[in-house]
Amino acid sequence: DADVTQTPRNRITKTGKRIMLECSQTKGHDRMYWYRQDPGLGLRLIYYSFDVKDINKGEISDGYSVSRQAQAKFSLSLESAIPNQTALYFCATSDHAVSDTQYFGPGTRLTVL
Amino acid sequence: GDSVTQMEGPVTLSEEAFLTINCTYTATGYPSLFWYVQYPGEGLQLLLKATKADDKGSNKGFEATYRKETTSFHLEKGSVQVSDSAVYFCALSETDSWGKFQFGAGTQVVVTP
């Protein structure tokens, strides 16, 4: 089984809809991250969480919210989806006690029509 | 702020050719440097890393040396295979921060038989 899983893998939605992307990990890592990937822009950080009670905005948090339900689960929500949120979304984890290496999930491809 | 610049792609090579992907960075402190690889339809996987100046990271025939004097971390492989076709991302993590990553835009590599 994969260490970092994301659901759904693909999602098509309409403008104005609320959607949630979910991330789960079995690595036992304390830190979790949400990124979006756009062609030619690399990965940009949306939100990050050091532990269940510590959630922080990244560089492009507008229009997004997150919830860290447990150490192993970190969800990303789009309250009212818009077309320019069409992108590939990645969850990642790291264990700060070991190293700063981040481990990525397989990604969720989101299309907002 | 911190930034990572890598050469634009796509880079198209024949099998067994030599591959170089240039990566330069700007950072205020002493970052760790990474190369991640993204195969089609998959998430990012750590390829190699280096944590201090003059360190050489290596994995699967790929190498990169942390050059502080030129602020570079170029990725090289002596003989590429079709299976090396992927997108390669250079990234840095500041050691005096919380492990925030700054990614380059990614370089697509296409290896033809």
Side-chain angles (χ1 to χ4, degrees):
Chain A
D1 288 340
D3 294 323
V4 183
T5 57
Q6 293 183 233
T7 56
R9 293 294 312 277
N10 289 282
R11 178 75 182 269
I12 299 174
T13 191
K14 294 183 179 180
T15 298
K17 295 291 187 181
R18 182 182 188 275
I19 67 165
M20 178 182 289
L21 309 183
E22 298 187 345
C23 176
S24 294
Q25 53 117 346
T26 58
K27 300 182 76 67
H29 289 174
D30 55 338
R31 296 182 174 183
M32 298 187 74
Y33 312 82
W34 274 105
Y35 292 90
R36 65 177 278 174
Q37 181 183 17
D38 299 278
L41 295 178
L43 276 74
R44 293 181 291 167
L45 184 64
I46 306 172
Y47 271 94
Y48 60 99
S49 171
F50 284 172
D51 61 37
V52 174
K53 297 180 180 180
D54 187 356
I55 293 177
N56 304 277
K57 293 182 177 181
E59 60 182 298
I60 55 163
S61 59
D62 287 349
Y64 301 95
S65 62
V66 291
S67 173
R68 186 86 183 263
Q69 300 96 324
Q71 187 185 34
K73 296 185 181 294
F74 192 37
S75 300
L76 175 72
S77 293
L78 285 67
E79 299 301 325
S80 180
I82 56 177
N84 75 2
Q85 291 177 314
T86 293
L88 192 53
Y89 289 84
F90 288 104
C91 175
T93 72
S94 68
D95 181 347
H96 88 285
V98 176
S99 79
D100 48 6
T101 300
Q102 293 188 13
Y103 298 86
F104 286 80
T108 294
R109 183 167 296 281
L110 176 66
T111 302
V112 183
L113 301 177
Chain B
D2 297 349
S3 67
V4 176
T5 302
Q6 58 183 109
M7 60 190 290
E8 292 186 16
V11 174
T12 302
L13 303 165
S14 298
E15 208 165 20
E16 300 183 1
F18 185 87
L19 171 67
T20 298
I21 305 176
N22 291 338
C23 172
T24 57
Y25 68 90
T26 59
T28 55
Y30 302 93
S32 296
L33 300 175
F34 302 79
W35 277 102
Y36 280 83
V37 59
Q38 183 181 29
Y39 298 105
E42 299 184 12
L44 279 70
Q45 302 175 24
L46 177 66
L47 182 59
L48 53 84
K49 64 183 281 190
T51 58
K52 61 183 186 297
D54 299 325
D55 270 1
K56 177 184 286 188
S58 61
N59 185 26
K60 299 181 179 180
F62 289 90
E63 293 184 340
T65 301
Y66 189 138
R67 300 289 188 196
K68 185 179 178 182
E69 63 276 13
T70 55
T71 62
S72 65
F73 192 55
H74 304 323
L75 182 68
E76 297 181 337
K77 186 175 185 181
S79 177
V80 294
Q81 305 300 312
V82 172
S83 58
D84 293 324
S85 298
V87 180
Y88 294 81
F89 291 92
C90 185
L92 68 79
S93 173
E94 283 278 18
T95 52
D96 60 351
S97 74
W98 42 266
K100 177 182 178 181
F101 268 52
Q102 188 70 43
F103 284 89
T107 302
Q108 182 180 11
V109 173
V110 178
V111 181
T112 58

